[in-house]
């Protein structure tokens, strides 16, 4: 063995291999930069790395079997040992290795310090047509110096019931700071996620992306209150400022203003361009304010009983102070939240009427109340075709208070409903940056990732949030949604059921749960317990057609036109679809204005309309509908659409267009992504019936049924028949 090693050294095999490894690494780095610059497909780099790896043993073989001589390359066995120049070659190789390593070192230093980091950009591009790269990646960036998180102040009072008061103090200071331009303030949900936790402030600052943290305590006794606050610099834990305030409870608002102003001073407010004045808090009596704060805490819980309790408390606030505008705004929000389409059981029209009355009163009392404009935007969101009114109100709310996270959430939804995908994603990006632990934003981000086929990014975002909010129903919802978007029904259903156990009145959870029931073909359960739109299809599958039709008509009267049009087409009543569309809208311009394509999941409503016109022989209207579908799908594809719902609607479009091969291509893509529909797809999507009997279509259908039965087996259900 010793002799072999000496011979390897003599023939410079070790040095040749070392030089090759360094050279190969440099080639791979250069190729990676070139591939990124010229947007080369992923297989190019894989092929290069494979070739470099395969060449390595060949290099070793040539180093062993051949020698470089003054006469050229010769076989080693043909070289006279007395004439060998391997020692000189060894020295040259030393210089080559040193030179290559120097180049590698220079490159490494440049890459680590100066090269742009991949994936560090914001998720939302400058134009709506470009595809976002990722949500929440900015959380890893260095926080801006002008940034702060207000942690919930600790309740030091003997009465645990004063918890809402101490939370309210924190939140009002947060809101006051949020109104200062150019100061980034972490959102309430993320700041309050650390309540009761004794975590390192530097870790909190890194998680929330802020450079400063305000923490404090509240001790309330009788009509006296002591509030202590301290401002801490995250990077070194240095206490920049601390102060205690002993006041009569009648001066609580003045304390909030005083603390916020002192913080701005300590943050060197002169560095903040523009207005750095704190907006004064809305005044009311101490008793009314206590009830108002408690009501707000209960609204945040998003549970039916909690929201009902909040409404009762707000009734009391208004009784004590009929001119307190924030109470009317919050009561308007509770009225919307308690409708049957959200968290409660109030009929939709009745709830919206109540809400509008309170919201108008709030804005009459205070036209610059951010909560009032946010509530008005939320109200309009519940009304079909009122996206523009919702957007106007919510944009005004955000302009007044950029950190009002609910307003941002509702604005993103409104943009999406109006087909403004780029704007929706920009708001989502801002929400994740300002309030990285806000569950609705996380759920929306998971949807955005899932609709682009980016399941790894969705999983990473959820893992980050779960570390701080384990068991949160909206985090469970996000996990379930991620599973459903991949076709993993058996994994998703238990998660969403756990979430529903915590929030049984949450209509959004019920919708997602119904998706799982539908895809696993649990039609009986879906018909009795599911979300109304899914109940229509379940009743149709169970051949309870009359019940399905009555429910579909009722949903259409409430604004869900898609359920009715789909039901009529599935039932072979395409003429009724045409009649309904023309009686209510007259032409497709008006229909599309009220019901534009939203999100990244195709244009199902217009697909139903196109199918109905094709069945009734109206070629002109059919062509018009198809043009609208094509335009919508092209826009969504350019925005990154990559999910099975989009692909099944592309399959439907091409089937209607008579392009059977492309229709089957997209149908196969949908099945490969986890899509599950009826065992006879044409039963749910009649536009696909023309593909029945095609070998590729049938093969994909059978793969889908195999997938369905695997999920049903995991759920303890009998296999479905083919």
């Amino acid at each position: 063995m010793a002799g072999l090693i000496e011979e390897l050294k003599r023939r410079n095999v070790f040095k040749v291999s070392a030089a090759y490894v360094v050279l190969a690494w440099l080639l791979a780095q250069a190729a990676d930069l070139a591939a990124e610059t010229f947007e080369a497909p992923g297989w190019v780099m894989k092929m290069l790395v494979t070739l470099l790896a395969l060449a390595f043993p060949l290099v070793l073989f040539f180093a062993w079997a051949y020698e470089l001589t003054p006469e050229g390359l010769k076989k080693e066995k043909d070289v006279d040992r007395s004439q060998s120049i391997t020692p000189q070659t060894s020295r040259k190789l030393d210089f080559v290795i040193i030179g290559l390593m120097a180049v590698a070192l220079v490159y490494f230093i440049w890459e680590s310090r100066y090269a742009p980091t991949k994936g560090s950009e914001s998720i939302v591009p400058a134009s709506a047509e470009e595809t976002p790269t990722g949500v929440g990646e900015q959380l890893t960036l260095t926080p801006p110096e002008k940034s702060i998180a207000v942690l919930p102040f600790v309740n030091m009072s003997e009465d645990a019931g004063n918890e809402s008061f101490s939370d309210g103090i924190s939140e009002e200071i947060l809101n006051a700071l949020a109104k200062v331009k150019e100061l980034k303030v972490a959102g309430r949900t993320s700041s309050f996620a650390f309540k009761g936790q004794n975590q390192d402030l530097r870790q909190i600052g890194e998680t929330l992306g802020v450079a400063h943290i305000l923490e404090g305590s509240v001790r309330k006794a009788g009509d006296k209150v002591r509030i202590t606050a301290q401002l801490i610099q995250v990077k070194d834990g240095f206490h920049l400022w601390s102060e205690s305030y002993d006041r009569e409870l009648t001066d609580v608002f003045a304390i909030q203003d005083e603390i916020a102003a002192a913080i701005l001073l300590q943050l060197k407010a002169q560095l903040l361009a523009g207005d750095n004045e704190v907006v004064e808090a809305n005044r009311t009596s101490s008793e009314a304010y206590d009830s108002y704060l408690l009501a707000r805490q209960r609204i945040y819980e998003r549970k039916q009983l909690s929201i009902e309790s909040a409404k009762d408390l707000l009734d009391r606030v208004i009784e004590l102070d009929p001119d307190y505008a924030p109470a009317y705004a919050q009561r308007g929000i509770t009225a919307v939240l308690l409708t049957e389409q959200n968290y409660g059981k109030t009929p939709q029209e009745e709830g919206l009427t109540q809400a509008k009355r309170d919201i108008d009163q709030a804005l009459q009392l205070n036209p610059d109340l951010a909560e009032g404009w946010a509530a008005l935007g939320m109200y309009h969101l519940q009304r079909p075709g009122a996206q523009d009114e919702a957007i106007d109100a919510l944009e005004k709310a955000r302009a007044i208070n950029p950190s009002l996270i609910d307003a941002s959430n509702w604005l993103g939804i409104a943009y999406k409903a109006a087909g403004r995908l780029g704007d929706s994603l920009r708001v989502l990006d801002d929400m994740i940056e300002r309030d990285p632990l806000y569950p609705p934003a996380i759920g929306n981000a998971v949807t955005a990732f899932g609709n682009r086929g980016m399941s790894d990014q969705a999983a990473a975002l959820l893992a980050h949030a779960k570390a701080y909010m384990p068991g949160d129903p909206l985090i469970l919802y996000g996990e379930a949604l991620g599973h459903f978007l991949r076709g993993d029904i058996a994994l998703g259903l238990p998660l969403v059921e756990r979430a529903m156990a915590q929030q049984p009145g949450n209509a959004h959870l019920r919708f997602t749960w119904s998706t799982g029931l539908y895809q696993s073909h649990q039609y009986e359960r879906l018909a009795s317990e599911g979300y109304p739109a899914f109940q229509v299809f379940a009743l149709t599958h169970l051949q309870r057609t009359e019940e399905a039709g009555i429910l579909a008509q009722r949903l259409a009267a409430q604004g869900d036109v898609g359920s009715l049009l789909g039901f009529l087409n599935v039932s072979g009543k395409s003429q009724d679809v045409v009649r309904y569309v023309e009686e209510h809208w007259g032409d497709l311009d008006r229909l599309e204005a009220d019901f534009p394509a939203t999100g990244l999941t195709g244009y199902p409503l217009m697909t139903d309309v196109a199918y109905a016109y094709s069945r009734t022989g109206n070629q002109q209207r059919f062509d018009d509908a198809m043009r609208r579908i094509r335009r919508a799908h092209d826009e969504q594809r350019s925005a990154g659409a990559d999910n099975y719902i989009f692909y099944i609607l592309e399959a439907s479009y091409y089937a209607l267009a008579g392009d059977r091969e492309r229709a089957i291509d997209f149908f196969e893509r949908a099945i490969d992504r986890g899509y599950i529909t009826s065992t006879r797809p044409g039963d749910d999507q009649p536009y696909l019936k023309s593909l029945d009997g095609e070998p590729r279509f049938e093969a994909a259908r059978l793969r889908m049924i195999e997938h369905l039965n695997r999920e049903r087996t995991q759920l303890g259900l009998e296999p479905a028949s083919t």
Side-chain angles (χ1 to χ4, degrees):
M1 177 62 73
L4 175 62
I5 293 175
E6 287 301 318
E7 188 63 15
L8 289 169
K9 289 180 179 178
R10 188 189 73 79
R11 299 189 189 193
N12 294 315
V13 174
F14 291 129
K15 291 185 178 181
V16 168
S17 63
Y20 179 81
V21 168
V22 179
L23 178 62
W25 183 83
L26 286 170
L27 287 173
Q29 299 307 311
D32 185 39
L33 288 174
E36 184 176 349
T37 300
F38 294 104
E39 299 181 348
W43 64 264
V44 173
M45 276 302 298
K46 292 178 182 178
M47 180 64 72
L48 176 63
V49 172
T50 301
L51 291 174
L52 289 172
L54 291 174
F56 184 59
L58 294 176
V59 170
L60 296 181
F61 170 76
F62 274 96
W64 171 264
Y66 290 84
E67 182 177 328
L68 186 64
T69 71
E71 292 79 28
L73 195 65
K74 293 184 178 181
K75 289 184 178 180
E76 199 280 335
K77 66 180 181 179
D78 297 334
V79 178
D80 185 344
R81 290 290 177 95
S82 64
Q83 302 297 318
S84 175
I85 63 168
T86 53
Q88 294 93 316
T89 305
S90 175
R91 285 192 293 274
K92 291 178 181 178
L93 283 170
D94 287 340
F95 289 119
V96 170
I97 293 171
I98 291 170
L100 289 173
M101 292 187 69
V103 173
L105 179 62
V106 170
Y107 175 83
F108 178 78
I109 293 173
W110 172 81
E111 182 185 45
S112 61
R113 294 192 179 184
Y114 306 110
T117 303
K118 294 180 183 178
S120 64
E121 298 88 352
S122 168
I123 68 161
V124 183
S127 67
E129 289 74 24
E130 295 173 342
T131 302
T133 57
V135 177
E137 292 173 348
Q138 71 278 6
L139 299 179
T140 62
L141 300 181
T142 302
E145 183 64 20
K146 293 173 282 190
S147 59
I148 188 171
V150 181
L151 298 185
F153 282 26
V154 178
N155 176 30
M156 303 292 289
S157 309
E158 294 181 2
D159 183 2
N162 287 325
E163 192 84 10
S164 61
F165 180 81
S166 57
D167 285 352
I169 292 292
S170 315
E171 190 175 349
E172 290 298 334
I173 294 172
L174 184 156
N175 286 335
L177 293 173
K179 294 169 184 174
V180 178
K181 296 176 182 177
E182 297 187 38
L183 179 62
K184 176 192 170 185
V185 182
R188 177 198 184 279
T189 306
S190 296
S191 297
F192 275 57
F194 296 95
K195 182 176 179 178
Q197 299 183 26
N198 189 25
Q199 289 210 22
D200 182 82
L201 292 182
R202 278 171 288 193
Q203 178 63 40
I204 296 175
E206 181 181 338
T207 301
L208 301 183
V210 296
H212 303 88
I213 287 177
L214 179 76
E215 63 176 6
S217 63
V218 177
R219 185 183 297 276
K220 183 179 174 185
D223 60 353
K224 305 284 187 182
V225 63
R226 164 170 285 191
I227 299 176
T228 300
Q230 52 189 5
L231 183 65
I232 300 165
Q233 191 166 266
V234 168
K235 64 182 178 183
D236 53 15
F238 184 73
H239 284 58
L240 298 175
W241 161 84
S242 64
E243 189 63 75
S244 293
Y245 300 85
D246 293 298
R247 297 288 191 276
E248 300 286 339
L249 278 174
T250 53
D251 288 336
V252 67
F253 299 104
I255 302 172
Q256 293 169 9
D257 299 341
E258 196 173 340
I259 295 175
I263 293 165
L264 284 179
L265 182 63
Q266 295 303 319
L267 285 174
K268 301 180 180 179
Q270 64 270 21
L271 298 178
L272 301 171
D275 178 22
N276 58 13
E277 295 296 323
V278 175
V279 179
E280 290 188 347
N282 291 281
R283 266 55 174 173
T284 188
S285 69
S286 174
E287 183 182 354
Y289 189 58
D290 275 352
S291 296
Y292 171 75
L293 290 177
L294 183 56
R296 279 248 298 267
Q297 302 307 312
R298 291 182 178 171
I299 291 172
Y300 285 131
E301 295 175 19
R302 291 298 197 266
K303 298 177 182 177
Q304 181 180 342
L305 292 178
S306 298
I307 299 170
E308 289 172 348
S309 173
K311 181 183 178 302
D312 293 340
L313 287 165
L314 292 166
D315 290 343
R316 174 61 177 159
V317 173
I318 291 169
E319 180 182 330
L320 291 168
D321 185 351
D323 294 327
Y324 192 49
Y328 287 100
Q330 295 296 332
R331 193 167 71 173
I333 290 172
T334 65
V336 176
L337 293 175
L338 287 172
T339 59
E340 57 192 359
Q341 292 190 15
N342 289 289
Y343 300 90
K345 297 180 180 178
T346 306
Q348 187 76 353
E349 285 303 316
E350 179 184 338
L352 293 183
T353 300
Q354 294 172 3
K356 188 62 163 58
R357 186 167 53 244
D358 282 330
I359 295 167
D360 287 346
Q361 181 65 20
L363 291 173
Q364 182 179 337
L365 290 167
N366 185 351
D368 294 322
L369 183 66
E371 291 87 345
W373 289 106
L376 182 61
M378 184 195 189
Y379 161 81
H380 284 307
L381 263 183
Q382 310 294 309
R383 300 170 54 239
Q387 299 97 329
D388 290 344
E389 293 94 328
I391 289 169
D392 289 344
L394 292 163
E395 285 179 339
K396 185 158 187 174
R398 284 187 89 216
I400 297 170
N401 184 353
S403 287
L404 192 59
I405 196 68
D406 279 340
S408 295
N409 185 41
W410 298 330
L411 180 59
I413 294 170
Y415 280 145
K416 185 177 177 181
R420 294 169 59 177
L421 300 181
D423 289 332
S424 178
L425 291 167
R426 270 184 279 278
V427 172
L428 177 59
D429 185 50
D430 182 68
M431 289 167 64
I432 291 293
E433 182 180 2
R434 286 183 178 273
D435 210 342
L437 300 179
Y438 178 61
I442 294 169
N444 290 342
V446 168
T447 301
F449 278 135
N451 286 341
R452 288 166 177 76
M454 302 163 68
S455 57
D456 290 345
Q457 291 88 332
L461 187 63
L462 286 166
H464 177 267
K466 282 175 64 179
Y468 301 99
M469 295 181 291
D472 183 277
L474 291 183
I475 300 301
L476 292 171
Y477 154 78
E479 288 187 274
L481 187 61
H483 286 307
F484 288 163
L485 288 169
R486 294 188 298 273
D488 297 329
I489 312 305
L491 293 177
L493 270 173
L495 294 172
V496 75
E497 285 171 349
R498 282 174 54 195
M500 288 176 65
Q502 298 181 56
Q503 294 187 355
N506 188 325
H508 308 292
L509 293 178
R510 189 180 176 199
F511 182 92
T512 303
W513 176 65
S514 298
T515 301
L517 293 182
Y518 171 77
Q519 289 197 290
S520 55
H521 289 201
Q522 299 186 59
Y523 297 131
E524 289 283 0
R525 194 175 181 191
L526 189 59
S528 61
E529 305 173 54
Y531 193 82
F534 284 96
Q535 285 182 313
V536 172
F537 284 99
L539 290 168
T540 304
H541 271 282
L542 297 171
Q543 298 184 348
R544 293 159 59 181
T545 310
E546 185 176 352
E547 293 176 68
I550 293 171
L551 177 57
Q553 290 283 356
R554 180 166 67 84
L555 293 177
Q558 296 173 355
D560 181 6
V561 174
S563 293
L564 176 62
L565 302 189
F567 165 76
L568 293 173
N569 275 330
V570 166
S571 303
K573 300 178 180 179
S574 295
Q575 183 62 51
D576 290 344
V577 172
V578 170
R579 185 181 303 111
Y580 188 89
V581 168
E582 295 185 349
E583 285 179 357
H584 287 77
W585 291 278
D587 58 48
L588 298 189
D589 283 337
R590 294 179 182 176
L591 175 65
E592 188 172 21
D594 282 349
F595 296 97
T598 62
L600 297 173
T601 53
Y603 202 171
L605 184 138
M606 197 60 70
T607 303
D608 271 313
V609 171
Y611 176 77
Y613 279 122
S614 73
R615 297 289 292 175
T616 55
N618 190 330
Q619 187 67 36
Q620 184 178 359
R621 284 290 177 93
F622 169 73
D623 291 341
D624 187 10
M626 292 289 280
R627 280 193 296 270
R628 295 170 193 271
I629 297 169
R630 186 69 267 143
R631 183 178 64 244
H633 286 197
D634 287 344
E635 289 174 356
Q636 292 183 20
R637 181 182 292 175
S638 69
D642 183 8
N643 59 84
Y644 58 60
I645 301 175
F646 177 77
Y647 290 141
I648 204 67
L649 284 166
E650 279 284 70
S652 302
Y653 169 84
Y654 285 110
L656 288 172
D659 190 339
R660 297 159 71 86
E661 288 302 311
R662 294 194 73 178
I664 295 173
D665 286 343
F666 280 106
F667 182 76
E668 288 177 330
R669 288 193 202 181
I671 299 306
D672 292 341
R673 287 300 178 89
Y675 180 69
I676 299 175
T677 184
S678 171
T679 55
R680 297 288 173 185
D683 291 347
D684 283 358
Q685 286 89 24
Y687 1 89
L688 298 177
K689 283 186 176 180
S690 62
L691 306 178
D692 284 347
E694 290 280 355
R696 286 173 55 210
F697 180 78
E698 294 299 330
R701 183 179 71 85
L702 291 176
R703 289 203 308 275
M704 180 198 72
I705 294 173
E706 290 174 1
H707 175 198
L708 164 64
N709 285 334
R710 285 196 302 271
E711 299 298 322
R712 284 179 64 86
T713 299
Q714 292 181 54
L715 292 167
L717 302 171
E718 293 292 326
S721 63
T722 60

